[in-house]
Amino acid sequence: MVVTTTPLRSTLVQPRLEVTGGTTLEGEIRVSGAKNSALVLMAACLLSKDSLLLHNVPRLTDIASMGEILAALGVRVTRSGETVELLADHVSRAAPPYELVNSLRASFFCIGPLLARMGMAQVPLPGGCQIGTRPVVEHVKGLKALGARVTIEHGVVTAVVPGAGQRLKGGHILLDCPSVGATETLMMAAALADGETIIENAALEPEVVDLARLLRAMGARIRGAGTPTIVIDGVPSLHGADYHVIPDRIEAGTFLIAGAITRSSLLVTPVITDHLGAVLAKLEDCGCRLTPEGEGIRISAKEINAIDLRTQPFPGFPTDLQAPFMSLLATATGTSMVVENIFENRLQHVAELQRMGASIRMQGNTACVEGVTRLSGAPVQGTDLRASAAMVLAGLAAEGITTVRGLEYLDRGYSQLEHKLNAVGARIQRVSGDA
Ligand code: EPZ
């Protein structure tokens, strides 16, 4: 019998956050630019030979990876502070390197603009991740509806515009599900297509609207973004733009929950309230007081009561805040039902919360969370970027020290999370791998 053991060292040396619980937070916490907007806006630079200036771009590993992928395609990418300049005047290849793409699912955003610009694109399948299989069936179906010939071999998607013209044709696309990535991919491809494209059952997320605003600033003719039907009249070319990325609604929601779980009064700013309607409603339902203050929202919480939660496409409750909100409900008075409807495997944080004394029972995609008076600090593992954030939040409220591993996920979506939280009273220390 072969016994494989994980060397003790590999678990001890992972970089981790040590969170000392029990402090209340106070002051103002800043929200960075939206990761899930900036990533797709960066890919849109491929649609034009002119310079694209993006402001309020967060400093995240995912953003850096996207920059590397675009640079490998021949794009000149330069960052100065929170501004990134992208110049795709000479795109040297239509296939991002495999080893880079593997590190970033969002690199699949390149396929639409590359195909529209070059008449061909070759991008590895993004593949699954911890939270689900993450298919791109709708993206491929839509590109075919725009006239592309798409094949998938050896894990690589190859899309070609047949014929000499190398220009996609407008088409009518009915998405089987309101996929954010598919909607964004097809908007970018259709922007340079010949003729009108209609995308039905489009995703309504704020990041889709942000992309449409950028594309219009670049000269695209798009209407209906933010509604289920988007109409794009293709144009022969797009010019550059100087654009400001929206604030990150998921980071904002994470910080609001940090205020709630520590029973604090905290100003989170900036926040676009329309981007967080369902989350703000649930925070009020469980007893938080929310008051607009300047460009942000002040949250104050004393008692937190149980509520029921089900994730849905926008404007429903966002799947990305399901794990952070469950940490809050683990400390609420009463029993909450949490249903994850978007991804097939996004409840792995339940086991980690149970290690901290949370009382949670699982059945399929539903978690029954019975609030406890106090969580207890423990060594926990973040299993995706939002679950890692949820463990930090639970640590803020726990008795003692919580050691959070999985920072490779956390740093993908949160820029300087511990610095921002420590600045308002948290006690979090980042311990590097070799300590
Ligand atoms: C985007 O992912 C976000 N990522 C995700 O954020 C977010 O959770 C998700 O939208 C939902 O809001 C970025 O924007 C980079 P989808 P995306 O296609 O586009 C199914 C984070 O934590 N589906 O809307 O990949 C799919 O399996 C990340 O920041 C199909 O069935 O999400 C999933 O169940 C995680 N067929 C659901 O739709 C398809 O062809 C939503 O996926 C495509 C998707």
Side-chain angles (χ1 to χ4, degrees), residues 136-397:
V136 288
V137 169
E138 297 304 312
H139 311 54
V140 170
K141 257 173 49 184
L143 292 175
K144 286 180 176 172
L146 298 179
R149 192 176 304 135
V150 186
T151 52
I152 301 178
E153 282 165 353
H154 312 301
V156 176
V157 181
T158 302
V160 179
V161 182
Q166 290 197 338
R167 195 175 173 199
L168 291 166
K169 299 266 177 300
H172 188 169
I173 300 162
L174 171 59
L175 294 177
D176 193 36
C177 64
S179 158
V180 173
T183 303
E184 293 168 338
T185 295
L186 298 170
M187 277 165 62
M188 290 190 285
L192 291 179
D194 179 10
E196 178 182 78
T197 294
I198 298 174
I199 304 173
E200 289 200 82
N201 197 21
L204 312 181
E205 271 70 4
E207 293 74 26
V208 170
V209 177
D210 210 26
L211 174 61
R213 280 213 191 94
L214 169 66
L215 292 175
R216 275 202 297 274
M218 294 170 74
R221 291 164 53 198
I222 297 184
R223 57 187 189 281
T227 77
T229 303
I230 300 176
V231 180
I232 301 120
D233 295 318
V235 293
S237 67
L238 293 178
H239 49 72
D242 184 328
Y243 192 77
H244 200 96
V245 179
I246 53 172
D248 194 314
R249 62 194 170 101
I250 305 302
E251 187 190 30
T254 306
F255 291 147
L256 288 166
I257 296 168
I261 203 167
T262 55
R263 310 302 191 261
S264 306
S265 171
L266 185 66
L267 173 60
V268 178
T269 188
V271 176
I272 299 176
T273 48
D274 291 350
H275 293 178
L276 271 176
V279 179
L280 302 179
K282 288 297 177 185
L283 285 168
E284 288 184 327
D285 289 352
C286 66
C288 299
R289 193 151 53 84
L290 301 175
T291 42
E293 192 172 317
E295 291 186 320
I297 291 180
R298 176 170 295 279
I299 183 164
S300 48
K302 296 272 178 292
E303 279 301 308
I304 297 292
N305 313 305
I307 53 149
D308 292 341
L309 190 55
R310 49 188 318 116
T311 63
Q312 300 165 72
F314 193 87
F317 190 94
T319 173
D320 293 349
L321 282 172
Q322 178 259 111
F325 212 101
M326 190 185 288
S327 292
L328 175 62
L329 295 175
T331 71
T333 304
T335 301
S336 306
M337 299 301 285
V338 176
V339 186
E340 171 55 52
N341 291 315
I342 304 295
F343 288 107
E344 62 266 34
N345 189 28
R346 204 171 199 180
L347 289 169
Q348 297 174 76
H349 46 284
V350 168
E352 301 306 310
L353 286 170
Q354 287 168 333
R355 290 157 65 88
M356 299 179 69
S359 171
I360 306 175
R361 281 177 294 115
M362 284 259 292
Q363 177 112 34
N365 66 342
T366 300
C368 177
V369 184
E370 191 182 342
V372 295
T373 316
R374 202 102 171 108
L375 294 172
S376 57
V380 290
Q381 173 74 38
T383 46
D384 80 81
L385 93 92
R386 308 303 174 181
S388 302
M391 302 329 297
V392 173
L393 297 181
L396 293 177

Side-chain angles (χ1 to χ4, degrees), residues 75-88:
V75 178
R76 262 187 296 159
V77 184
T78 47
R79 178 189 268 271
S80 153
E82 304 306 284
T83 296
V84 173
E85 181 174 13
L86 304 113
L87 183 57

